[in-house]
mmCIF file of all heavy atoms in Angstrom:
data_model
loop_
_atom_site.group_PDB
_atom_site.id
_atom_site.type_symbol
_atom_site.label_atom_id
_atom_site.label_comp_id
_atom_site.label_asym_id
_atom_site.label_seq_id
_atom_site.Cartn_x
_atom_site.Cartn_y
_atom_site.Cartn_z
ATOM 1 N N GLY A 856 74.915 -30.273 -42.676
ATOM 2 C CA GLY A 856 74.163 -29.892 -41.489
ATOM 3 C C GLY A 856 74.616 -30.663 -40.260
ATOM 4 O O GLY A 856 74.772 -31.881 -40.294
ATOM 5 N N ALA A 864 73.844 -25.144 -30.417
ATOM 6 C CA ALA A 864 74.750 -24.002 -30.506
ATOM 7 C C ALA A 864 75.887 -24.311 -31.483
ATOM 8 O O ALA A 864 76.225 -25.478 -31.701
ATOM 9 C CB ALA A 864 75.318 -23.660 -29.132
ATOM 10 N N SER A 880 93.872 -22.280 -47.555
ATOM 11 C CA SER A 880 93.637 -22.892 -48.863
ATOM 12 C C SER A 880 93.271 -21.878 -49.939
ATOM 13 O O SER A 880 93.020 -22.268 -51.075
ATOM 14 C CB SER A 880 92.524 -23.943 -48.747
ATOM 15 O OG SER A 880 92.899 -24.972 -47.857
ATOM 16 N N LYS A 893 67.576 -25.544 -47.985
ATOM 17 C CA LYS A 893 67.339 -26.726 -48.812
ATOM 18 C C LYS A 893 65.845 -26.843 -49.106
ATOM 19 O O LYS A 893 65.004 -26.268 -48.385
ATOM 20 C CB LYS A 893 67.837 -27.973 -48.084
ATOM 21 C CG LYS A 893 67.044 -28.355 -46.847
ATOM 22 C CD LYS A 893 67.609 -29.589 -46.171
ATOM 23 C CE LYS A 893 66.783 -29.972 -44.933
ATOM 24 N NZ LYS A 893 67.333 -31.167 -44.260
ATOM 25 N N ILE A 923 83.802 -11.593 -44.293
ATOM 26 C CA ILE A 923 82.743 -12.454 -43.764
ATOM 27 C C ILE A 923 81.425 -12.073 -44.426
ATOM 28 O O ILE A 923 80.987 -10.922 -44.387
ATOM 29 C CB ILE A 923 82.609 -12.315 -42.241
ATOM 30 C CG1 ILE A 923 83.951 -12.600 -41.560
ATOM 31 C CG2 ILE A 923 81.523 -13.252 -41.716
ATOM 32 C CD1 ILE A 923 83.976 -12.216 -40.090
ATOM 33 N N VAL A 944 76.356 -9.180 -47.468
ATOM 34 C CA VAL A 944 75.072 -9.845 -47.251
ATOM 35 C C VAL A 944 74.748 -10.680 -48.487
ATOM 36 O O VAL A 944 74.692 -10.159 -49.599
ATOM 37 C CB VAL A 944 73.941 -8.834 -46.982
ATOM 38 C CG1 VAL A 944 72.577 -9.526 -47.023
ATOM 39 C CG2 VAL A 944 74.141 -8.156 -45.634
ATOM 40 N N ASP A 946 71.899 -12.841 -49.992
ATOM 41 C CA ASP A 946 70.464 -13.045 -49.791
ATOM 42 C C ASP A 946 69.870 -13.847 -50.945
ATOM 43 O O ASP A 946 69.793 -13.361 -52.077
ATOM 44 C CB ASP A 946 69.759 -11.687 -49.669
ATOM 45 C CG ASP A 946 68.271 -11.820 -49.364
ATOM 46 O OD1 ASP A 946 67.793 -12.964 -49.190
ATOM 47 O OD2 ASP A 946 67.588 -10.784 -49.308
ATOM 48 N N VAL A 947 69.403 -15.063 -50.657
ATOM 49 C CA VAL A 947 68.810 -15.898 -51.698
ATOM 50 C C VAL A 947 67.484 -15.318 -52.192
ATOM 51 O O VAL A 947 66.964 -15.752 -53.229
ATOM 52 C CB VAL A 947 68.600 -17.346 -51.211
ATOM 53 C CG1 VAL A 947 69.924 -17.983 -50.825
ATOM 54 C CG2 VAL A 947 67.592 -17.427 -50.073
ATOM 55 N N LEU A 950 67.101 -9.395 -51.599
ATOM 56 C CA LEU A 950 66.621 -8.199 -50.896
ATOM 57 C C LEU A 950 65.168 -7.878 -51.250
ATOM 58 O O LEU A 950 64.785 -6.719 -51.434
ATOM 59 C CB LEU A 950 67.527 -6.989 -51.184
ATOM 60 C CG LEU A 950 68.992 -7.135 -50.797
ATOM 61 C CD1 LEU A 950 69.734 -5.819 -51.033
ATOM 62 C CD2 LEU A 950 69.161 -7.579 -49.349
ATOM 63 N N LEU A 956 66.435 -4.342 -47.723
ATOM 64 C CA LEU A 956 66.993 -3.370 -48.665
ATOM 65 C C LEU A 956 67.445 -2.111 -47.933
ATOM 66 O O LEU A 956 68.550 -1.593 -48.165
ATOM 67 C CB LEU A 956 65.941 -3.026 -49.721
ATOM 68 C CG LEU A 956 66.338 -2.050 -50.806
ATOM 69 C CD1 LEU A 956 67.384 -2.665 -51.730
ATOM 70 C CD2 LEU A 956 65.101 -1.636 -51.618
ATOM 71 N N ALA A 960 71.331 -0.660 -47.574
ATOM 72 C CA ALA A 960 71.622 0.680 -48.097
ATOM 73 C C ALA A 960 72.194 1.565 -46.993
ATOM 74 O O ALA A 960 73.174 2.290 -47.212
ATOM 75 C CB ALA A 960 70.357 1.288 -48.682
ATOM 76 N N LYS A 962 73.766 0.668 -44.249
ATOM 77 C CA LYS A 962 75.072 0.191 -43.789
ATOM 78 C C LYS A 962 76.120 0.211 -44.896
ATOM 79 O O LYS A 962 77.308 0.036 -44.622
ATOM 80 C CB LYS A 962 74.944 -1.229 -43.233
ATOM 81 C CG LYS A 962 73.986 -1.364 -42.056
ATOM 82 C CD LYS A 962 74.467 -0.601 -40.844
ATOM 83 C CE LYS A 962 73.568 -0.863 -39.639
ATOM 84 N NZ LYS A 962 74.016 -0.110 -38.440
ATOM 85 N N PHE A 972 63.703 -19.842 -58.360
ATOM 86 C CA PHE A 972 62.362 -20.234 -58.796
ATOM 87 C C PHE A 972 61.537 -20.765 -57.633
ATOM 88 O O PHE A 972 60.491 -21.357 -57.826
ATOM 89 C CB PHE A 972 62.443 -21.313 -59.879
ATOM 90 C CG PHE A 972 62.721 -20.772 -61.251
ATOM 91 C CD1 PHE A 972 63.688 -21.364 -62.049
ATOM 92 C CD2 PHE A 972 62.031 -19.689 -61.751
ATOM 93 C CE1 PHE A 972 63.948 -20.882 -63.317
ATOM 94 C CE2 PHE A 972 62.283 -19.195 -63.016
ATOM 95 C CZ PHE A 972 63.246 -19.797 -63.810
ATOM 96 N N LEU A 984 61.510 -22.170 -71.635
ATOM 97 C CA LEU A 984 62.919 -22.463 -71.413
ATOM 98 C C LEU A 984 63.819 -21.565 -72.265
ATOM 99 O O LEU A 984 64.877 -21.114 -71.809
ATOM 100 C CB LEU A 984 63.184 -23.939 -71.728
ATOM 101 C CG LEU A 984 64.489 -24.545 -71.233
ATOM 102 C CD1 LEU A 984 64.568 -24.479 -69.715
ATOM 103 C CD2 LEU A 984 64.617 -25.989 -71.705
ATOM 104 N N CYS A 1002 67.974 -1.542 -55.973
ATOM 105 C CA CYS A 1002 69.052 -1.354 -55.007
ATOM 106 C C CYS A 1002 69.693 0.024 -55.159
ATOM 107 O O CYS A 1002 69.939 0.726 -54.160
ATOM 108 C CB CYS A 1002 70.116 -2.436 -55.182
ATOM 109 S SG CYS A 1002 69.630 -4.062 -54.578
ATOM 110 N N ASN A 1004 68.420 2.715 -56.470
ATOM 111 C CA ASN A 1004 67.462 3.741 -56.057
ATOM 112 C C ASN A 1004 67.373 3.844 -54.532
ATOM 113 O O ASN A 1004 67.079 4.918 -53.991
ATOM 114 C CB ASN A 1004 66.082 3.448 -56.636
ATOM 115 C CG ASN A 1004 66.000 3.703 -58.128
ATOM 116 O OD1 ASN A 1004 66.861 4.388 -58.695
ATOM 117 N ND2 ASN A 1004 64.986 3.158 -58.784
ATOM 118 N N GLN A 1033 75.576 -20.188 -71.256
ATOM 119 C CA GLN A 1033 75.335 -18.803 -71.653
ATOM 120 C C GLN A 1033 75.573 -17.810 -70.517
ATOM 121 O O GLN A 1033 75.114 -16.666 -70.574
ATOM 122 C CB GLN A 1033 73.898 -18.642 -72.178
ATOM 123 C CG GLN A 1033 73.587 -19.507 -73.386
ATOM 124 C CD GLN A 1033 72.217 -19.232 -73.950
ATOM 125 O OE1 GLN A 1033 71.808 -18.084 -74.131
ATOM 126 N NE2 GLN A 1033 71.476 -20.289 -74.251
ATOM 127 N N VAL A 1046 78.743 -18.011 -58.356
ATOM 128 C CA VAL A 1046 78.013 -19.258 -58.583
ATOM 129 C C VAL A 1046 78.218 -20.190 -57.405
ATOM 130 O O VAL A 1046 79.274 -20.202 -56.777
ATOM 131 C CB VAL A 1046 78.431 -19.960 -59.888
ATOM 132 C CG1 VAL A 1046 78.085 -19.099 -61.101
ATOM 133 C CG2 VAL A 1046 79.905 -20.324 -59.895
ATOM 134 N N LEU A 1048 77.920 -24.109 -57.065
ATOM 135 C CA LEU A 1048 77.721 -25.396 -57.741
ATOM 136 C C LEU A 1048 78.107 -26.584 -56.870
ATOM 137 O O LEU A 1048 77.902 -27.724 -57.256
ATOM 138 C CB LEU A 1048 78.543 -25.418 -59.041
ATOM 139 C CG LEU A 1048 78.083 -24.433 -60.106
ATOM 140 C CD1 LEU A 1048 79.202 -24.137 -61.107
ATOM 141 C CD2 LEU A 1048 76.857 -24.966 -60.818
ATOM 142 N N GLY A 1072 84.502 -29.492 -62.320
ATOM 143 C CA GLY A 1072 84.368 -29.349 -63.761
ATOM 144 C C GLY A 1072 83.387 -28.253 -64.129
ATOM 145 O O GLY A 1072 83.657 -27.423 -65.016
#
Side-chain angles (χ1 to χ4, degrees):
S880 299
K893 68 181 181 180
I923 304 168
V944 169
D946 184 3
V947 299
L950 301 185
L956 181 68
K962 300 295 186 181
F972 279 133
L984 195 61
C1002 286
N1004 288 343
Q1033 300 185 46
V1046 296
L1048 294 159

